[in-house]
Amino acid sequence: MSTTGKIDNTEKLNRIITGCQNGEEQAFSQLIDIYSTRCYGYFYRLTGNAGISDDLLSRLFVRLVQKIGSFKGGSFEKWLFTIASNIFNDHLRHEYRQRKLLETHAEQLATETEPRRSDGEMVDRLQQHIAKLDTDTADLILMRFYGELSFKELSELRGEPIGTTLSKVHRGLKKLRELMGGTDA
Amino acid sequence: MPNRNENLEIILCDFLPAAEAHEAAEVIASGERMLWENPAPAPSADLLADINAKVGAALHGGRRTASHWFGRVAAVCAAIVMATSILFLFSGDAPHEIAQPTLNAAALPAPGWWDDHVVEGMSAEIDRVLETMISISVEDCYIAGQKPEFDLAELEELELIAMSDDFWKG
């Protein structure tokens, strides 16, 4: 990517964000065009479920309408993926509570709704192996990949030392590579 | 592959010896290459159209909220005026006994028809009307096709009620 191209893109993005902050529907539509695929990929790889990813992506952009006024500059991706991560964590808490309620009220019902990761979809190998990572590590790896965030941004976002973030991502990707059955992809 | 303007090996050298830093940078790069080579599915056109519609509704909903606030304030004022009128109507002596308004209301002597119990009762009634109106306007914030903004505890309670109902239905 050339420097001029990057500057052009940054200026274009800034104009779109300003439009969104002024409540322009067209600007939001452009933002959806730019980020929907990456954000959907992030949600899909974390949940392994298209239906849930659809729902989380919708929630993300509706929340963006409410929150765009609070964006004060800096890395938009970092800001966007912080919201995406919060939405995913809300979803996890909701699922956890639902499972607890089901366990309390009807154990049989709980077992019927438990396998939510695939819901009968064709799941690729990578998806199966990402599901084997702990949620925190998977979230970090996917946020870095789909948010195109640097380790510095990622550690700031998580409020943890950069060494901790590096170590978690390194360990997670190493495990993923081993599970995929190759020393190098 | 995205260019993040960072040199992984240099960052890793702060924590690891050079050889290990090089190896760790390789592991991270190859892991991310693997993600790049196995792309996740893209959102469907229907989903994007639906999201655009929801965003549009949320934007218009936001604008409507401002007019709702204005309407709410107007309604509260109307309720206060009505309640005050009722107070005058049912408080025995006619309003002709009311002292002419002056700039310093506190200096006015209490009129003969003034009854503290009636005033307390009317104040409670006004509070009740205000609470009712606020609860009605919370329902008005519902955006078509979307859940209203309840907090997590409320949602949890609603889920519990819904599940309990289904459970007892068998």
Side-chain angles (χ1 to χ4, degrees):
Chain A
M1 190 189 292
S2 72
T3 317
T4 321
K6 194 163 187 175
I7 289 167
D8 286 349
N9 281 342
T10 310
E11 282 175 3
K12 188 183 168 195
L13 182 63
N14 286 340
R15 272 201 302 275
I16 292 170
I17 292 167
T18 308
C20 291
Q21 287 174 328
N22 292 333
E24 292 168 18
E25 205 170 331
Q26 183 61 31
F28 273 106
S29 185
Q30 286 176 297
L31 208 61
I32 291 167
D33 282 346
I34 296 170
Y35 288 108
S36 59
T37 305
R38 277 160 60 184
C39 293
Y40 188 81
Y42 168 74
F43 288 134
Y44 184 87
R45 285 297 185 210
L46 279 172
T47 63
N49 183 299
I52 295 172
S53 306
D54 288 1
D55 181 42
L56 297 182
L57 191 71
S58 298
R59 272 197 244 170
L60 171 67
F61 283 108
V62 171
R63 197 171 289 182
L64 218 61
V65 174
Q66 298 157 353
K67 298 231 172 210
I68 193 78
S70 67
F71 176 68
K72 304 288 181 208
S75 164
F76 182 72
E77 274 89 355
K78 184 178 154 190
W79 185 79
L80 176 68
F81 276 83
T82 305
I83 298 175
S85 178
N86 288 340
I87 286 175
F88 172 66
N89 285 316
D90 284 350
H91 161 74
L92 281 187
R93 276 193 289 271
H94 172 81
E95 257 203 343
Y96 175 78
R97 276 200 309 275
Q98 207 164 30
R99 210 158 30 229
K100 280 281 172 200
L101 286 167
L102 286 167
E103 278 168 11
T104 313
H105 292 288
E107 273 183 25
Q108 199 180 350
L109 205 57
T111 52
E112 281 169 15
T113 53
E114 193 123 21
R116 290 198 63 124
R117 279 221 169 224
S118 69
D119 277 4
E121 289 168 28
M122 285 288 289
V123 181
D124 58 274
R125 272 181 69 225
L126 180 64
Q127 190 63 51
Q128 287 174 337
H129 296 317
I130 287 174
K132 289 174 190 164
L133 300 176
D134 67 275
T135 313
D136 184 53
T137 305
D139 190 25
L140 269 176
I141 291 172
L142 296 170
M143 202 148 42
R144 173 170 159 83
F145 182 74
Y146 288 104
E148 297 179 2
L149 303 179
S150 64
F151 275 108
K152 186 172 177 285
E153 287 173 322
L154 207 54
S155 65
E156 282 169 0
L157 191 152
R158 286 300 192 93
E160 60 189 21
I162 192 167
T164 309
T165 312
L166 272 166
S167 160
K168 284 180 185 173
V169 171
H170 172 257
R171 221 178 316 120
L173 284 173
K174 192 174 180 183
K175 186 177 176 186
L176 204 57
R177 208 170 61 150
E178 285 164 6
L179 289 168
M180 287 292 277
T183 49
D184 201 4
Chain B
M1 292 280 282
N3 176 15
R4 298 184 182 89
N5 292 323
E6 67 178 358
N7 189 328
L8 258 183
E9 242 178 281
I10 291 174
I11 299 170
L12 285 161
C13 275
D14 286 344
F15 306 96
L16 299 166
E20 284 180 42
H22 176 75
E23 195 188 324
E26 272 299 303
V27 168
I28 292 171
S30 71
E32 289 184 338
R33 208 159 41 239
M34 199 168 59
L35 288 168
W36 188 256
E37 286 163 358
N38 292 273
S44 68
D46 284 349
L47 174 64
L48 294 182
D50 184 53
I51 290 173
N52 273 306
K54 279 181 180 166
V55 163
L59 279 170
H60 296 305
R63 285 184 200 128
R64 199 179 58 197
T65 305
S67 64
H68 271 201
W69 274 105
F70 182 76
R72 257 169 80 168
V73 171
V76 168
C77 291
I80 291 168
V81 170
M82 274 177 63
T84 316
S85 306
I86 292 166
L87 175 71
F88 283 130
L89 207 64
F90 293 104
S91 60
D93 294 333
H96 64 266
E97 287 188 32
I98 302 169
Q100 289 299 311
T102 63
L103 286 175
N104 187 359
L108 285 173
W113 53 266
W114 191 267
D115 184 340
D116 283 344
H117 293 294
V118 174
V119 174
E120 273 174 28
M122 290 313 296
S123 299
E125 185 65 16
I126 291 167
D127 288 343
R128 197 184 62 76
V129 170
L130 286 176
E131 273 174 29
T132 310
M133 292 182 71
I134 288 165
S135 69
I136 290 167
S137 47
V138 166
E139 286 170 19
D140 286 346
C141 289
Y142 184 90
I143 299 168
Q146 241 190 286
K147 280 183 178 176
E149 287 285 324
F150 293 113
D151 65 34
L152 288 174
E154 282 174 303
L155 281 174
E156 191 171 6
E157 201 175 334
L158 289 171
E159 277 165 22
L160 184 59
I161 292 164
M163 280 174 196
S164 303
D165 289 349
D166 290 344
F167 176 71
W168 289 108
K169 278 177 202 165

